[in-house]
């Protein structure tokens, strides 16, 4: 009898071969693009000097009168326009926020690279010597705020899809508590256990503005958190070290936490083992959810081979690991709650290495698997807790920034952003010192 690992490996190898062969052929591309950087699928240029907040919305979120493409050629050509806004758009509409477009993403939000064969892959503004991946699946949302075409963006996060592109593009991204932001009108991946909507911004202040558009009264909640803990010395950070992390990233995080003045407590090996297991379980549940939600598209014309591969692997995850993982979810939540009796937040790298370069032909299922293995994010979704990705300086010739991820108790978004503010202040001080 073939064990699960061998089965996954054989299927991946087969799908990879198909993907590589199809990647060498001419690819049909969307004839129009929202912006030259491919951040937008649909872009509505704002009037000059309007003074209004510019909001970009990931194209998994319904806007009335616009087709929600989910980054898919097939859906863009066959689905009707949304008949109403997603519920999470209510505050933005009530406040007359200027929506500047629908942002690009990995097809069906299933790939961590942020690539899109049909609409074009968003261009990471941090690219210097080589073209860096934008990260996914909310790649367009991260690029839009990184290059200044939007002040705030909404993204979705099932296993890291806000935090990973935020880390790759050098911006701030907030994964919200599961259930806090309503999902009606949001294209599903794993809505029963893991899907969330959250904001991205070029800095903490803009991310707070974005969160205030998703949760009524959040700005006041954030002000209260700042007043309660104006400095880092009263905030306890549990530092989690994980295997296979690039040492320069660990050093960057440790130096940032030290400069900010947090009380840092190293978390033990038992919690690390629990985290590693929960990260695998969360990844498997998210993959299975992708098959449950999007399996119906696997044979549709125009769906990328890479996407079909991810869907097929999700079916394997559902048949082999899904139920067992869900049985461990309650224990993981208890483990995380116990840690938060000792510390206020947990700090670790958002991704284990600096973002890789874009490969020829936009990569294969093996490349997507590699990018997925770099993420330290799915364990948070599996628990339902909030987490914040904040850019910090790193000593590297190729990439100037890495990202620290702060994980908090449920409904601690305001406290997380306050801690992010204190981390951001250390970067500002470093920049001033370099001038």
């Amino acid at each position: 009898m073939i064990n699960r690992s061998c089965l996954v490996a054989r299927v991946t190898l087969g799908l990879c071969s198909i993907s590589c062969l199809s990647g060498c052929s001419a690819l049909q591309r969307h004839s129009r693009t929202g912006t030259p950087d491919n951040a937008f699928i649909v872009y509505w240029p704002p009037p000059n000097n309007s003074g209004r907040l510019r909001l970009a919305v990931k194209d998994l979120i319904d806007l009335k009168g616009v087709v929600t493409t989910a980054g898919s050629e097939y859906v863009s050509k066959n689905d009707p326009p949304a008949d109403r806004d997603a519920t999470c758009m209510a505050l933005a509409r009530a406040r007359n926020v200027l929506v500047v477009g629908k942002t690009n993403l990995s097809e069906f939000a299933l790939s961590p690279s942020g690539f899109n064969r049909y609409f074009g892959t968003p261009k990471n503004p941090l690219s210097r010597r080589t073209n860096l991946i934008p990260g996914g699946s909310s790649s367009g949302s991260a690029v839009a705020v990184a290059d200044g075409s939007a002040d705030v963006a909404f993204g979705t996060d099932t296993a890291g899809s806000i935090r990973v592109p935020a880390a790759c593009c050098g911006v701030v991204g907030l994964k919200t508590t599961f259930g806090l932001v309503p999902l009606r009108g949001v294209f599903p991946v794993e809505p029963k256990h893991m899907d969330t909507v959250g904001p991205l911004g070029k800095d903490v202040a803009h991310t707070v503005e974005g969160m205030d558009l998703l949760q009524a009264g959040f700005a006041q909640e954030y002000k209260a958190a700042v007043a309660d803990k104006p400095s880092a010395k009263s905030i306890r950070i549990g530092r989690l070290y994980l295997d296979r992390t690039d040492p320069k990233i660990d050093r960057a995080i440790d130096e940032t936490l030290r400069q900010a003045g947090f009380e840092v407590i190293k978390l033990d090996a038992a919690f690390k083992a629990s985290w590693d297991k929960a990260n695998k379980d969360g990844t498997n549940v998210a993959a299975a959810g992708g098959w449950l939600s999007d399996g119906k598209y696997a044979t549709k014309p125009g769906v990328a081979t890479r996407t079909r591969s991810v869907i097929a692997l999700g079916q394997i995850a559902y048949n082999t690991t899904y139920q067992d993982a869900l049985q461990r979810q309650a224990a993981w939540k208890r483990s995380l709650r116990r840690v938060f009796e000792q510390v206020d937040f947990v700090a670790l790298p958002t991704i284990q290495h600096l973002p890789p370069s874009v490969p020829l032909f936009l990569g294969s299922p093996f490349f997507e698997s590699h990018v997925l293995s770099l993420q330290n994010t799915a364990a948070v979704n599996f628990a339902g807790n909030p987490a914040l990705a904040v850019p910090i300086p790193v000593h590297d010739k190729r990439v100037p920034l890495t990202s620290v991820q702060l994980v908090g108790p449920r409904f601690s978004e305001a406290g997380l952003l306050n801690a992010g503010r204190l981390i951001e202040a250390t970067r500002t001080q470093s920049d001033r010192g370099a001038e």
Side-chain angles (χ1 to χ4, degrees):
M1 183 175 179
I2 300 174
N3 65 36
R4 294 173 182 177
S5 298
C6 291
L7 179 61
V8 171
R10 290 186 184 184
V11 172
T12 303
L13 180 60
L15 292 169
C16 181
S17 301
I18 296 170
S19 181
C20 291
L21 289 171
S22 65
C24 294
S25 62
L27 295 176
Q28 182 182 8
R29 277 287 309 278
H30 188 46
S31 60
R32 295 176 291 109
T33 183
T35 48
D37 60 6
N38 294 328
F40 291 87
I41 289 175
V42 180
Y43 182 63
W44 304 298
N48 293 329
N49 304 317
S50 71
R52 294 163 63 190
L53 188 72
R54 298 168 301 156
L55 172 65
V57 179
K58 184 177 182 178
D59 206 8
L60 281 188
I61 300 170
D62 285 352
L63 295 181
K64 183 178 179 180
V66 184
V67 175
T68 301
T69 71
S72 168
E73 175 187 2
Y74 175 81
V75 174
S76 70
K77 292 178 177 179
N78 290 278
D79 277 22
D83 59 6
R84 55 181 174 172
D85 285 340
T87 302
C88 64
M89 291 299 301
L91 285 172
R93 295 299 200 191
R95 297 176 189 174
N96 198 31
V97 169
L98 188 62
V99 177
V100 295
K102 302 292 292 292
T103 56
N104 204 349
L105 65 150
S106 307
E107 189 172 26
F108 302 129
L110 294 181
S111 298
S113 64
F115 298 159
N116 192 298
R117 176 188 62 86
Y118 182 64
F119 290 105
T121 295
K123 299 175 183 177
N124 189 335
L126 289 185
S127 297
R128 290 181 174 179
R129 298 182 177 184
T130 60
N131 291 325
L132 304 175
I133 68 166
S137 64
S138 304
S139 48
S141 293
V143 170
V145 296
D147 68 13
S149 53
D151 301 308
V152 175
F154 288 167
T156 64
D157 194 312
T158 301
S161 289
I162 287 174
R163 291 158 289 158
V164 170
C168 290
C169 295
V171 300
V172 178
L174 177 64
K175 182 263 178 209
T176 55
T177 302
F178 179 75
L180 177 62
V181 179
L183 294 175
R184 190 194 66 77
V186 178
F187 194 97
V189 179
E190 222 299 351
K192 189 174 180 180
H193 302 100
M194 298 178 71
D195 286 358
T196 60
V197 175
L200 299 91
K202 68 177 181 180
D203 52 29
V204 168
H206 283 89
T207 309
V208 170
E209 287 190 85
M211 191 61 204
D212 196 50
L213 295 175
L214 292 169
Q215 180 186 353
F218 183 80
Q220 292 303 314
E221 191 176 324
Y222 173 70
K223 288 179 181 178
V226 173
D228 182 50
K229 295 190 175 181
S231 71
K233 63 183 180 182
S234 60
I235 299 176
R236 300 165 301 166
I237 298 290
R239 179 68 168 93
L240 178 59
Y241 294 91
L242 298 174
D243 298 337
R244 300 181 301 278
T245 301
D246 186 334
K248 66 169 67 77
I249 294 178
D250 272 335
R251 287 194 296 268
I253 291 174
D254 290 339
E255 178 62 16
T256 295
L257 296 177
R258 185 193 65 77
Q259 288 183 4
F262 293 105
E263 179 186 351
V264 179
I265 301 165
K266 183 178 178 180
L267 298 177
D268 62 23
F271 181 73
K272 174 187 173 295
S274 295
W275 178 282
D276 286 340
K277 184 61 178 174
N279 211 53
K280 292 177 182 177
D281 284 342
T283 298
N284 285 327
V285 170
W291 173 70
L292 290 170
S293 295
D294 302 321
K296 59 183 175 289
Y297 296 111
T299 59
K300 299 298 184 182
V303 174
T305 304
R306 181 173 54 253
T307 304
R308 298 176 196 266
S309 303
V310 176
I311 291 172
L313 292 172
Q315 184 177 11
I316 294 172
Y318 180 78
N319 290 329
T320 58
T321 63
Y322 181 73
Q323 293 299 334
D324 289 344
L326 289 179
Q327 289 178 5
R328 290 187 288 267
Q329 188 177 34
W332 166 235
K333 291 180 179 181
R334 289 193 298 270
S335 178
L336 203 52
R337 283 197 298 269
R338 285 194 295 269
V339 165
F340 289 128
E341 293 172 359
Q342 307 167 34
V343 300
D344 297 301
F345 306 114
V346 172
L348 70 158
T350 307
I351 53 178
Q352 296 175 2
H353 291 260
L354 298 174
S357 300
V358 176
L360 191 64
F361 305 125
L362 294 186
S364 67
F366 278 147
F367 182 79
E368 295 291 346
S369 178
H370 168 64
V371 176
L372 186 65
S373 72
L374 302 180
Q375 300 180 189
N376 295 326
T377 49
V380 185
N381 299 77
F382 196 50
N385 289 44
L388 181 71
V390 184
I392 59 173
V394 65
H395 295 293
D396 185 82
K397 294 180 180 179
R398 191 175 64 96
V399 184
L401 299 171
T402 187
S403 177
V404 58
Q405 178 181 203
L406 298 176
V407 183
R410 287 176 60 84
F411 305 111
S412 64
E413 284 82 356
L416 282 169
L417 283 161
N418 179 47
R421 172 187 67 87
L422 297 167
I423 287 174
E424 194 173 79
T426 67
R427 180 180 168 192
T428 303
Q429 293 167 4
S430 298
D431 290 345
R432 287 174 179 169
E435 291 176 355

